[in-house]
């Protein structure tokens, strides 16, 4: 590899770990380069405390610069345990693997490495204006931190998105040396205070104190932090207050500030990372919440990728493009996990009613990167303890435990949600509907729900949706239920809906979008607002029409009961008629059915009450809602809770908590389990069982959701289309053969996972003496004088 020819002179703004590491690597790869680092602070100025490294980052450092790796690894604090201190007890999970180091010592090592390589580092020298640097150097690397002046100089190129959160936190150290990564969660009369602590040397630990904004104010911190302070000065009054509140965890040790003040975390995202010959690195380009790791880790990875790209690509432009293309997916993945973790801690009060074991598991799996499966692989005893506390027994995965809804007992916690087939041009359930529901009933789920079934001809979403408003439709559903029952005893449900303004479309095409029909039917809505610019204008429903809608739902529910369905679900979400009454974005009425939430709830409650009156006692009645519109001005979390409490009071037995599809301009943050926090919110607020939905496709994720107490059931949709035997295959892959996964007798021979190509190969012994397995639990114990440093 030879370096890009147009990178002979490089300027780096910022002598943090990322900037120094990049400078050292870039010089190492091309010794003839002239590299200058500008840093406004002095080399001896200390900033920050400890930083944590992952094994993969350390592997990268070891390969890229063994001398740097040898220098820092000699001083690592290493451990494998995570302690969760909560409700006066401690729970420990092992097998994780951590290495931490004093950030200032890391900077010193990198500074020494730069000196060895003849990189010029100009301390006490603020960088010249970035446009002047860009004119005088071939490349400018902006490693100037989360409040990057470089980023602010070219907003049209970087297009930054700065998401400042509401929690307050303070970065401190302590001379108490913790033995493990320690999460402290304490409840006070003012709210919850949480601490993220970990050792980073033989004498100190990082100690980050965090509180939600309302708890922070009630604790008196707002008044303490109000006075003006100079740059670099600490809020000592708040530090003393933290020490008093957390004295039980400090054991007489002190809190050590370093320019420590209450701040709000800002998640930095940029649409672009480069402007001509200027490129962002580390926190200037992106940030990830401290609860899942270290911004220093990301910055060092950036530095390695950028230095490599400059030597791998033939031009600077191609190198910067390659750097961003390589790093952006990694960073965005980390940010998704960090966002989930950040939001978990922002809403920690939802979980402080849980038992100690479940709370600890919930905390450890908060980011969705750590799951039931890999926690079990790391520390089986910890997961067994949580399993037992959950009411199960070790060896029985949470998804295979029974659940009682009303008088109905489900054999497991897996739900096949309503999966529309769009195969009913005559409004009758089709042969494909029968085949699909039969396959899913045989596939092992605890409950299978048919949908989208309209309660009237003008309530259909498409011209190929089934209905349940006529005798022939009822008879057809009865025949379908009987056919499925002939081969399976899996409970069957049906979802009833009125599509409202989302009706009168063709079946969705390959892009998943249903276009409006050229000759549709009149659309009903709370207000005359079309779904999008291409949709027909709906009619604002009058009182007579609303009463007819309520009657249609009740009549369809009676037909569903006679057809033999075990469970009924009402669609109050996804922008269908009842959903559009609930959302302030779609309900602009000024009568008794619009305006304040109590009025917007009126029609949904009338429908639910009428259905509850005719639906048989003991058969579960579910309601699906959209707990967020994912659009400004839409349903708030507080309103979602109020809606669900009202639905619970009107007779709902469980809530199927979805989000979105209420307005066409929505912007949901799609990702694994992205809707699950709303199920957890509703469950905590109402006490009703909830169904978690949304991109749950692995049994590991399902178990994590259930064992953490985020929901009582998990709906697995698209993965069931990929594999109708998803539930049974999950059992086979894990060796579970209990009553929660009942194989149909004709298929029992297939209940074991088939052998693969290497199943009959037995590996030979190739080591004279095998190394003992690494211990599950490893605590940090600082070396004593004379000890040999750990490798």
């Amino acid at each position: 590899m030879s370096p890009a020819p147009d990178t002979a002179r490089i300027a780096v703004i910022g002598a943090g770990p990322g900037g120094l590491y990049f400078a050292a690597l870039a010089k190492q790869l091309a010794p003839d380069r002239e590299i200058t680092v500008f840093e406004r602070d002095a080399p001896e100025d200390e900033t920050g405390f400890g930083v944590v490294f992952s094994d993969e980052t350390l592997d990268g450092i070891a390969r890229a610069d063994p001398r740097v790796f040898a220098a820092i690894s000699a001083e690592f604090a290493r451990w494998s345990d995570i302690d969760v201190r909560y409700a006066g007890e401690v729970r420990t999970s092992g097998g994780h693997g951590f290495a931490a180091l004093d950030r200032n010592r890391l900077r010193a090592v990198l500074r020494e490495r730069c000196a060895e390589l003849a990189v010029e580092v100009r301390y006490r020298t603020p960088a010249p204006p970035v446009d002047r640097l860009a004119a005088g150097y071939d490349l400018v690397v902006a490693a100037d931190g989360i409040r990057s002046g470089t980023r602010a100089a070219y907003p049209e190129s970087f297009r930054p998105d700065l998401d400042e959160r509401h929690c307050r936190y303070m970065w401190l150290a302590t001379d108490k040396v913790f033995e493990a990564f320690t999460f402290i969660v304490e409840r006070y009369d003012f709210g919850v205070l949480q601490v993220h602590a970990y050792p980073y040397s033989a004498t100190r630990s990082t100690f980050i104190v965090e509180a939600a904004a309302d708890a922070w104010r009630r604790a008196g911190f707002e008044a303490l932090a109000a006075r003006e302070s100079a740059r670099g000065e600490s809020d000592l009054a708040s530090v003393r207050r933290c020490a008093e509140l957390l004295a039980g965890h400090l054991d007489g040790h002190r809190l050590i500030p370093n320019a420590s003040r209450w701040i709000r975390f800002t998640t930095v995202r940029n649409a672009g990372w480069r402007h001509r010959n200027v490129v962002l690195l580390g926190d200037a380009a992106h940030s990830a919440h401290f609860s899942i790791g270290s911004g220093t880790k990301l910055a060092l990875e950036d530095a390695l990728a950028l230095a490599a790209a400059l030597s791998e690509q033939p031009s600077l432009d191609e190198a910067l493009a390659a750097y961003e293309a390589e790093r952006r997916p990694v960073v965005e993945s980390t940010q998704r996990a960090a966002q989930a973790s950040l939001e978990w801690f922002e809403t920690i009060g939802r979980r402080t009613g849980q038992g100690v074991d479940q709370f600890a598991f919930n905390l450890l799996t908060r980011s969705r990167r750590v799951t039931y499966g890999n926690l079990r692989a790391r520390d089986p005893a910890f997961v067994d303890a949580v399993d037992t506390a959950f009411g199960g027994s070790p060896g029985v995965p949470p998804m295979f435990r029974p659940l009682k809804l009303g008088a109905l007992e489900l054999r497991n916690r897996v739900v096949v949600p309503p999966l529309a087939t769009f195969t009913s041009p005559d409004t009758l359930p089709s042969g494909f509907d029968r085949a699909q529901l039969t396959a899913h009933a045989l596939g092992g789920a605890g409950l299978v729900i048919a949908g989208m079934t309209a309660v009237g001809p003008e309530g259909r979403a498409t011209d190929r949706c089934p209905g349940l408003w006529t005798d022939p439709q009822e008879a057809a559903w009865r025949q379908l239920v009987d056919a499925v029952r002939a081969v399976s005893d899996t409970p069957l449900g049906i979802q009833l809906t009125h599509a409202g303004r989302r009706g009168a479309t063709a079946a969705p095409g390959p892009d998943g979008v249903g276009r409006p029909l050229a000759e549709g039917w009149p659309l009903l809505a709370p207000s005359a607002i079309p779904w999008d610019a291409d949709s027909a204008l709906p009619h604002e429903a009058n009182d007579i029409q609303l009463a007819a809608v309520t009657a249609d739902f009740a009549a369809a529910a009676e037909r569903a009961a006679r057809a033999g369905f075990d469970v009924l679900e009402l669609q109050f979400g996804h922008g269908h008629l009842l959903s559009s009454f609930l959302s302030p974005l779609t309900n602009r009425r000024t009568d008794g059915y619009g305006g304040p939430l109590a009025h917007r709830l009126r029609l949904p409650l009338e429908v639910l009450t009428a259905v509850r009156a005719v639906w048989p006692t003991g058969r579960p009645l579910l309601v699906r809602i959209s707990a967020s519109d994912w659009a400004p001005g839409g349903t708030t979390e507080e309103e979602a809770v109020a809606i669900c409490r009202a639905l619970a009071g009107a007779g709902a037995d469980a809530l199927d908590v979805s989000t979105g599809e209420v307005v066409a301009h929505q912007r949901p943050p799609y990702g694994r389990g992205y809707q699950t926090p709303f199920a957890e919110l509703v469950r905590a607020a109402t006490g009703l069982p909830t169904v978690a939905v949304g991109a749950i496709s692995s049994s590991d994720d399902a178990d994590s959701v259930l064992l953490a107490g985020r929901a009582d059931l998990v709906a697995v949709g698209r993965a069931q289309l990929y594999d109708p035997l998803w539930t049974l295959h999950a059992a086979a892959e894990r060796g579970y053969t209990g009553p929660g996964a009942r194989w149909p007798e004709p298929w029992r021979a297939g209940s074991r996972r088939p052998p693969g190509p290497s199943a009959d190969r037995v590996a030979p012994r190739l080591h004279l003496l095998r190394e003992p397995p690494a211990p599950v639990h490893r605590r940090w114990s600082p070396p004593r004088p004379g000890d040999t440093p750990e490798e």
Side-chain angles (χ1 to χ4, degrees):
M1 295 185 300
S2 59
D6 44 1
T7 58
R9 300 186 73 239
I10 300 176
V12 180
I13 305 174
L20 291 173
Y21 188 48
F22 164 77
L25 292 177
K27 185 74 170 180
Q28 181 179 294
L29 290 171
D32 291 338
R33 280 186 178 131
E34 176 191 329
I35 301 179
T36 305
V37 181
F38 295 90
E39 171 57 53
R40 67 180 180 180
D41 294 330
E44 64 273 12
D45 290 346
E46 293 195 353
T47 58
F49 301 106
V51 293
V52 181
F53 296 95
S54 67
D55 288 341
E56 62 184 5
T57 302
L58 291 176
D59 288 344
I61 294 173
R63 286 191 294 268
D65 195 326
R67 295 184 66 173
V68 167
F69 178 76
I72 63 176
S73 62
E75 301 183 38
F76 279 149
R78 292 183 181 272
W79 69 96
S80 66
D81 281 355
I82 297 176
D83 289 347
V84 179
R85 299 187 178 191
Y86 165 73
E89 299 186 53
V90 180
R91 293 294 183 270
T92 299
S93 172
H96 299 277
F98 294 97
L101 181 69
D102 187 328
R103 184 177 187 274
N104 297 294
R105 181 61 191 139
L106 174 62
R107 288 171 59 235
V109 168
L110 293 171
R111 184 169 66 244
E112 292 163 8
R113 184 62 172 143
C114 284
E116 291 173 1
L117 294 166
V119 171
E120 183 182 2
V121 183
R122 298 181 184 176
Y123 285 99
R124 301 185 183 88
T125 307
V130 65
D131 54 350
R132 192 189 310 166
L133 282 177
Y137 288 84
D138 299 315
L139 171 64
V140 178
V141 177
D144 51 349
I146 204 161
R147 308 201 183 280
S148 168
T150 305
R151 187 180 63 229
Y154 303 117
E156 68 287 347
S157 294
F158 299 128
R159 303 190 300 286
D161 173 14
L162 308 180
D163 180 14
E164 189 175 48
R165 308 302 296 191
H166 65 76
C167 275
R168 302 306 202 279
Y169 71 98
M170 181 180 288
W171 207 290
L172 299 162
T174 176
D175 54 5
K176 174 182 171 62
V177 181
F178 287 91
E179 297 180 348
F181 206 118
T182 303
F183 291 102
I184 300 169
V185 179
E186 283 288 356
R187 288 177 285 184
Y188 302 88
D189 55 357
F190 58 78
V192 176
L193 208 60
Q194 60 240 24
V195 174
H196 313 249
Y198 57 86
Y200 65 85
S201 75
T203 59
R204 288 191 179 183
S205 301
T206 293
F207 198 86
I208 306 170
V209 184
E210 185 180 29
D214 54 350
W216 178 78
R217 282 190 290 269
R218 288 196 296 265
F221 287 119
E222 184 176 34
L224 296 177
R227 69 183 184 86
E228 292 291 328
S229 55
R231 180 177 180 266
E233 186 179 351
S234 295
D235 178 358
L236 296 179
S238 288
V239 175
R240 287 191 293 270
R241 172 80 167 136
C242 287
E244 292 168 2
L245 290 168
L246 296 162
H249 299 281
L250 291 169
D251 301 326
H253 292 270
R254 63 195 175 108
L255 291 180
I256 303 167
N258 182 349
S260 301
R261 285 184 266 176
W262 292 109
I263 53 178
R264 296 161 64 185
F265 186 82
T266 300
T267 300
V268 175
R269 301 178 180 88
N270 285 281
W273 291 5
R274 59 193 194 277
H275 171 82
R276 298 176 184 164
N277 65 333
V278 178
V279 66
L280 302 178
L281 184 146
D283 282 350
H286 47 70
S287 63
H289 194 251
F290 52 81
S291 61
I292 70 156
S294 167
T296 300
K297 165 191 176 300
L298 288 176
L300 294 181
E301 292 172 355
D302 282 357
L304 190 152
L306 178 57
L310 293 176
S311 288
E312 291 171 346
Q313 301 299 324
S315 70
L316 176 61
D317 188 61
E318 290 168 290
L320 298 186
Y323 157 68
E324 183 173 347
E326 177 182 333
R327 288 297 295 158
R328 182 177 287 279
V330 177
V331 167
E332 290 178 348
S333 173
T334 301
Q335 287 185 319
R336 284 192 294 272
Q339 187 72 12
S341 180
L342 175 158
E343 292 175 0
W344 193 95
F345 281 108
E346 283 185 338
T347 58
I348 198 169
R350 296 176 189 171
R351 304 160 189 95
T352 49
Q354 291 186 323
V356 178
D357 296 282
Q358 190 173 53
F359 180 88
F361 180 87
N362 199 331
L363 186 152
L364 292 173
T365 58
R366 67 196 180 279
S367 73
R368 300 192 283 269
R369 281 194 164 182
V370 176
T371 62
Y372 176 91
N374 53 43
L375 272 182
R376 177 169 287 286
R378 297 175 190 193
D379 188 351
F382 171 79
V383 177
D384 283 347
V386 184
D387 273 337
T388 301
F390 184 64
S393 56
V396 180
M399 64 182 276
F400 292 115
R401 292 173 191 164
L403 178 71
K404 194 166 187 179
L405 282 181
L408 179 67
E409 181 158 308
L410 306 180
R411 69 171 65 97
N412 63 51
R413 306 296 184 98
V414 180
V415 177
V416 179
L419 299 168
T421 65
F422 305 109
T423 56
S424 302
D426 55 2
T427 75
L428 301 175
S430 67
F432 196 93
D433 285 318
R434 177 180 296 192
Q436 175 169 288
L437 292 171
T438 302
H440 288 144
L442 292 170
L447 172 63
V448 177
I449 304 177
M452 284 176 307
T453 308
V455 297
E458 294 180 359
R460 291 172 293 157
T462 78
D463 58 354
R464 298 177 69 83
C465 287
L468 190 47
W469 67 84
T470 68
D471 291 341
Q473 291 166 344
E474 180 183 327
W477 282 114
R478 170 80 258 179
Q479 291 170 6
L480 185 151
V481 170
D482 289 344
V484 176
R485 290 262 165 74
V487 295
S488 172
D489 62 354
T490 297
L492 296 178
I494 189 168
Q495 183 193 73
L496 299 180
T497 190
H498 188 300
R501 69 180 192 146
R502 298 207 63 184
T505 70
D511 59 357
V513 177
R515 267 69 183 182
L517 296 169
E519 297 183 10
W521 48 85
L523 300 180
L524 206 61
S527 303
I529 305 172
W531 167 254
D532 60 21
D534 298 325
S535 299
L537 185 69
H539 172 72
E540 182 172 308
N542 58 39
D543 289 356
I544 295 174
Q545 290 168 320
L546 297 181
V549 166
T550 300
D552 287 345
F553 269 96
E558 288 184 287
R559 291 185 181 278
R562 291 195 297 266
F565 284 102
D566 304 288
V567 175
L568 184 68
E569 176 169 282
L570 302 180
Q571 173 61 290
F572 285 10
H574 291 181
H576 286 219
L577 182 63
L578 281 303
S579 169
S580 59
F581 267 86
L582 292 170
S583 172
L585 296 177
T586 51
N587 186 342
R588 306 286 177 79
R589 300 172 74 99
T590 57
D591 63 1
Y593 289 96
L597 179 60
H599 290 184
R600 303 199 309 270
L601 265 164
R602 182 177 169 187
L603 180 64
L605 291 179
E606 288 175 352
V607 169
L608 177 55
T609 301
V611 169
R612 181 77 275 180
V614 299
W615 183 246
T617 301
R619 296 195 206 179
L621 175 55
L622 280 61
V623 180
R624 171 171 279 202
I625 67 156
S626 286
S628 172
D629 300 340
W630 299 121
T635 301
T636 65
E637 288 191 358
E638 292 75 15
E639 287 178 323
V641 167
I643 289 167
C644 290
R645 285 177 174 155
L647 297 176
D653 293 307
L655 297 165
D656 187 351
V657 186
S658 186
T659 63
E661 298 188 48
V662 176
V663 291
H665 60 278
Q666 65 173 4
R667 295 188 63 188
Y670 292 118
R672 277 174 51 239
Y674 74 103
Q675 298 181 110
T676 301
F678 293 94
E680 185 177 25
L681 166 69
V682 168
R683 186 178 189 267
T686 67
L688 272 190
T690 60
V691 185
V693 306
I696 299 172
S697 57
S698 75
S699 59
D700 198 11
D701 283 339
D703 283 331
S704 300
V705 167
L706 295 166
L707 192 56
R710 298 180 184 121
D712 302 272
L713 295 156
V714 290
V716 180
R718 293 194 179 190
Q720 295 276 3
L721 295 178
Y722 177 78
D723 177 10
L725 273 65
W726 183 91
T727 307
L728 293 179
H729 286 160
E733 287 169 2
R734 301 160 82 172
Y736 173 74
T737 58
R742 190 183 306 165
W743 280 79
E745 193 59 39
W747 291 352
R748 188 165 296 280
S751 61
R752 292 183 180 179
R753 190 174 185 179
S758 302
D760 58 349
R761 182 182 183 274
V762 179
R765 180 188 182 106
L766 298 175
H767 297 86
L768 179 61
L769 293 176
R770 291 191 178 96
E771 292 184 10
V776 171
H777 296 290
R778 182 182 184 185
R779 315 289 282 182
W780 168 239
S781 179
R784 294 168 296 183
D787 286 353
T788 302
E790 295 186 60
E791 295 185 4

Short mmCIF file of all heavy atoms in Angstrom, two decimals, residues 41-69:
data_model
loop_
_atom_site.label_atom_id
_atom_site.label_comp_id
_atom_site.label_asym_id
_atom_site.label_seq_id
_atom_site.Cartn_x
_atom_site.Cartn_y
_atom_site.Cartn_z
N ASP A 41 -4.92 23.25 25.08
CA ASP A 41 -4.52 23.02 26.47
C ASP A 41 -3.06 22.61 26.55
O ASP A 41 -2.42 22.27 25.55
CB ASP A 41 -5.39 21.92 27.09
CG ASP A 41 -6.84 22.36 27.23
OD1 ASP A 41 -7.08 23.57 27.40
OD2 ASP A 41 -7.73 21.49 27.15
N ALA A 42 -2.54 22.62 27.78
CA ALA A 42 -1.17 22.19 28.02
C ALA A 42 -1.11 20.67 28.11
O ALA A 42 -2.11 20.03 28.45
CB ALA A 42 -0.65 22.82 29.31
N PRO A 43 0.05 20.07 27.84
CA PRO A 43 0.13 18.61 27.89
C PRO A 43 -0.16 18.06 29.28
O PRO A 43 -0.66 16.94 29.41
CB PRO A 43 1.57 18.32 27.46
CG PRO A 43 2.32 19.59 27.61
CD PRO A 43 1.32 20.67 27.40
N GLU A 44 0.15 18.83 30.31
CA GLU A 44 -0.07 18.33 31.67
C GLU A 44 -1.50 18.54 32.16
O GLU A 44 -1.88 18.04 33.23
CB GLU A 44 0.91 19.00 32.64
CG GLU A 44 0.73 20.51 32.79
CD GLU A 44 1.51 21.31 31.75
OE1 GLU A 44 2.00 20.70 30.77
OE2 GLU A 44 1.63 22.54 31.92
N ASP A 45 -2.32 19.27 31.42
CA ASP A 45 -3.71 19.48 31.83
C ASP A 45 -4.47 18.16 31.80
O ASP A 45 -4.47 17.46 30.78
CB ASP A 45 -4.40 20.48 30.91
CG ASP A 45 -3.88 21.90 31.09
OD1 ASP A 45 -3.19 22.14 32.11
OD2 ASP A 45 -4.16 22.74 30.23
N GLU A 46 -5.09 17.83 32.90
CA GLU A 46 -5.83 16.57 32.96
C GLU A 46 -7.29 16.81 32.61
O GLU A 46 -7.91 17.76 33.08
CB GLU A 46 -5.72 15.96 34.36
CG GLU A 46 -4.31 15.50 34.70
CD GLU A 46 -4.29 14.57 35.90
OE1 GLU A 46 -5.33 14.39 36.55
OE2 GLU A 46 -3.20 14.03 36.19
N THR A 47 -7.81 15.96 31.77
CA THR A 47 -9.22 16.04 31.37
C THR A 47 -9.83 14.65 31.45
O THR A 47 -9.26 13.69 30.95
CB THR A 47 -9.38 16.57 29.94
OG1 THR A 47 -8.65 15.73 29.05
CG2 THR A 47 -8.85 17.99 29.82
N GLY A 48 -10.98 14.56 32.09
CA GLY A 48 -11.66 13.28 32.16
C GLY A 48 -11.01 12.33 33.15
O GLY A 48 -10.07 12.68 33.86
N PHE A 49 -11.53 11.12 33.16
CA PHE A 49 -11.06 10.12 34.11
C PHE A 49 -10.72 8.84 33.36
O PHE A 49 -9.82 8.82 32.54
CB PHE A 49 -12.10 9.92 35.21
CG PHE A 49 -12.40 11.19 35.96
CD1 PHE A 49 -13.59 11.87 35.76
CD2 PHE A 49 -11.48 11.72 36.85
CE1 PHE A 49 -13.87 13.05 36.45
CE2 PHE A 49 -11.74 12.90 37.53
CZ PHE A 49 -12.93 13.57 37.34
N GLY A 50 -11.48 7.77 33.58
CA GLY A 50 -11.15 6.50 32.94
C GLY A 50 -11.89 6.29 31.64
O GLY A 50 -12.95 6.87 31.39
N VAL A 51 -11.30 5.46 30.77
CA VAL A 51 -11.97 5.06 29.53
C VAL A 51 -11.96 3.53 29.47
O VAL A 51 -11.04 2.88 29.94
CB VAL A 51 -11.27 5.64 28.28
CG1 VAL A 51 -11.43 7.14 28.24
CG2 VAL A 51 -9.79 5.27 28.24
N VAL A 52 -13.03 2.98 28.88
CA VAL A 52 -13.20 1.53 28.80
C VAL A 52 -13.02 1.09 27.37
O VAL A 52 -13.48 1.75 26.43
CB VAL A 52 -14.61 1.12 29.30
CG1 VAL A 52 -14.79 -0.39 29.24
CG2 VAL A 52 -14.83 1.61 30.72
N PHE A 53 -12.36 -0.06 27.19
CA PHE A 53 -12.11 -0.60 25.87
C PHE A 53 -12.81 -1.95 25.70
O PHE A 53 -12.90 -2.73 26.64
CB PHE A 53 -10.60 -0.82 25.64
CG PHE A 53 -9.80 0.44 25.65
CD1 PHE A 53 -9.17 0.87 26.80
CD2 PHE A 53 -9.68 1.19 24.50
CE1 PHE A 53 -8.42 2.03 26.81
CE2 PHE A 53 -8.93 2.35 24.50
CZ PHE A 53 -8.30 2.78 25.65
N SER A 54 -13.24 -2.22 24.47
CA SER A 54 -13.74 -3.55 24.14
C SER A 54 -12.59 -4.41 23.64
O SER A 54 -11.54 -3.89 23.22
CB SER A 54 -14.81 -3.46 23.04
OG SER A 54 -14.22 -3.03 21.82
N ASP A 55 -12.79 -5.71 23.64
CA ASP A 55 -11.74 -6.62 23.17
C ASP A 55 -11.41 -6.37 21.70
O ASP A 55 -10.25 -6.43 21.30
CB ASP A 55 -12.18 -8.08 23.37
CG ASP A 55 -12.18 -8.47 24.84
OD1 ASP A 55 -11.52 -7.77 25.64
OD2 ASP A 55 -12.84 -9.46 25.19
N GLU A 56 -12.45 -6.09 20.87
CA GLU A 56 -12.18 -5.92 19.45
C GLU A 56 -11.37 -4.64 19.19
O GLU A 56 -10.51 -4.60 18.31
CB GLU A 56 -13.47 -5.93 18.63
CG GLU A 56 -14.46 -4.83 18.95
CD GLU A 56 -15.75 -4.97 18.17
OE1 GLU A 56 -15.90 -5.98 17.46
OE2 GLU A 56 -16.61 -4.07 18.27
N THR A 57 -11.64 -3.57 19.97
CA THR A 57 -10.84 -2.36 19.82
C THR A 57 -9.39 -2.61 20.22
O THR A 57 -8.45 -2.16 19.55
CB THR A 57 -11.42 -1.22 20.67
OG1 THR A 57 -12.78 -0.99 20.28
CG2 THR A 57 -10.64 0.07 20.48
N LEU A 58 -9.21 -3.34 21.31
CA LEU A 58 -7.85 -3.65 21.76
C LEU A 58 -7.12 -4.52 20.74
O LEU A 58 -5.92 -4.35 20.50
CB LEU A 58 -7.90 -4.34 23.11
CG LEU A 58 -8.35 -3.46 24.28
CD1 LEU A 58 -8.45 -4.28 25.56
CD2 LEU A 58 -7.40 -2.30 24.48
N ASP A 59 -7.84 -5.45 20.13
CA ASP A 59 -7.21 -6.28 19.08
C ASP A 59 -6.74 -5.40 17.93
O ASP A 59 -5.66 -5.62 17.36
CB ASP A 59 -8.21 -7.32 18.56
CG ASP A 59 -8.46 -8.43 19.57
OD1 ASP A 59 -7.67 -8.55 20.52
OD2 ASP A 59 -9.45 -9.17 19.41
N GLY A 60 -7.55 -4.40 17.57
CA GLY A 60 -7.16 -3.50 16.50
C GLY A 60 -5.93 -2.70 16.86
O GLY A 60 -5.03 -2.52 16.03
N ILE A 61 -5.86 -2.21 18.10
CA ILE A 61 -4.67 -1.46 18.53
C ILE A 61 -3.44 -2.36 18.54
O ILE A 61 -2.35 -1.96 18.11
CB ILE A 61 -4.91 -0.86 19.93
CG1 ILE A 61 -6.03 0.20 19.88
CG2 ILE A 61 -3.63 -0.23 20.48
CD1 ILE A 61 -6.44 0.72 21.24
N ALA A 62 -3.62 -3.60 19.00
CA ALA A 62 -2.48 -4.52 19.07
C ALA A 62 -1.90 -4.78 17.69
O ALA A 62 -0.67 -4.86 17.53
CB ALA A 62 -2.92 -5.83 19.73
N ARG A 63 -2.73 -4.90 16.70
CA ARG A 63 -2.24 -5.18 15.34
C ARG A 63 -1.69 -3.91 14.68
O ARG A 63 -0.71 -3.96 13.94
CB ARG A 63 -3.36 -5.77 14.48
CG ARG A 63 -3.69 -7.21 14.82
CD ARG A 63 -4.60 -7.83 13.77
NE ARG A 63 -5.92 -7.19 13.77
CZ ARG A 63 -6.95 -7.62 14.48
NH1 ARG A 63 -6.82 -8.67 15.26
NH2 ARG A 63 -8.11 -7.00 14.43
N ALA A 64 -2.33 -2.76 14.95
CA ALA A 64 -1.94 -1.53 14.26
C ALA A 64 -0.66 -0.92 14.84
O ALA A 64 0.16 -0.39 14.11
CB ALA A 64 -3.08 -0.51 14.33
N ASP A 65 -0.51 -0.99 16.15
CA ASP A 65 0.67 -0.39 16.77
C ASP A 65 0.99 -1.17 18.05
O ASP A 65 0.55 -0.79 19.15
CB ASP A 65 0.42 1.09 17.09
CG ASP A 65 1.71 1.83 17.39
OD1 ASP A 65 2.63 1.21 17.98
OD2 ASP A 65 1.82 3.02 17.05
N PRO A 66 1.76 -2.24 17.94
CA PRO A 66 2.07 -3.07 19.11
C PRO A 66 2.72 -2.29 20.24
O PRO A 66 2.55 -2.63 21.41
CB PRO A 66 3.01 -4.15 18.55
CG PRO A 66 2.67 -4.22 17.09
CD PRO A 66 2.32 -2.82 16.71
N ARG A 67 3.48 -1.25 19.91
CA ARG A 67 4.16 -0.49 20.97
C ARG A 67 3.16 0.27 21.83
O ARG A 67 3.28 0.31 23.05
CB ARG A 67 5.18 0.46 20.36
CG ARG A 67 6.32 -0.27 19.64
CD ARG A 67 7.38 0.66 19.13
NE ARG A 67 8.09 1.33 20.22
CZ ARG A 67 9.16 2.09 20.03
NH1 ARG A 67 9.64 2.28 18.80
NH2 ARG A 67 9.77 2.67 21.05
N VAL A 68 2.16 0.88 21.19
CA VAL A 68 1.11 1.56 21.95
C VAL A 68 0.35 0.54 22.78
O VAL A 68 0.06 0.76 23.97
CB VAL A 68 0.16 2.33 21.01
CG1 VAL A 68 -1.11 2.76 21.75
CG2 VAL A 68 0.87 3.53 20.42
N PHE A 69 0.02 -0.58 22.18
CA PHE A 69 -0.74 -1.60 22.90
C PHE A 69 0.05 -2.09 24.12
O PHE A 69 -0.52 -2.25 25.21
CB PHE A 69 -1.07 -2.78 21.99
CG PHE A 69 -1.81 -3.88 22.68
CD1 PHE A 69 -3.16 -3.74 22.97
CD2 PHE A 69 -1.16 -5.05 23.07
CE1 PHE A 69 -3.85 -4.75 23.63
CE2 PHE A 69 -1.85 -6.06 23.72
CZ PHE A 69 -3.19 -5.91 24.00
#
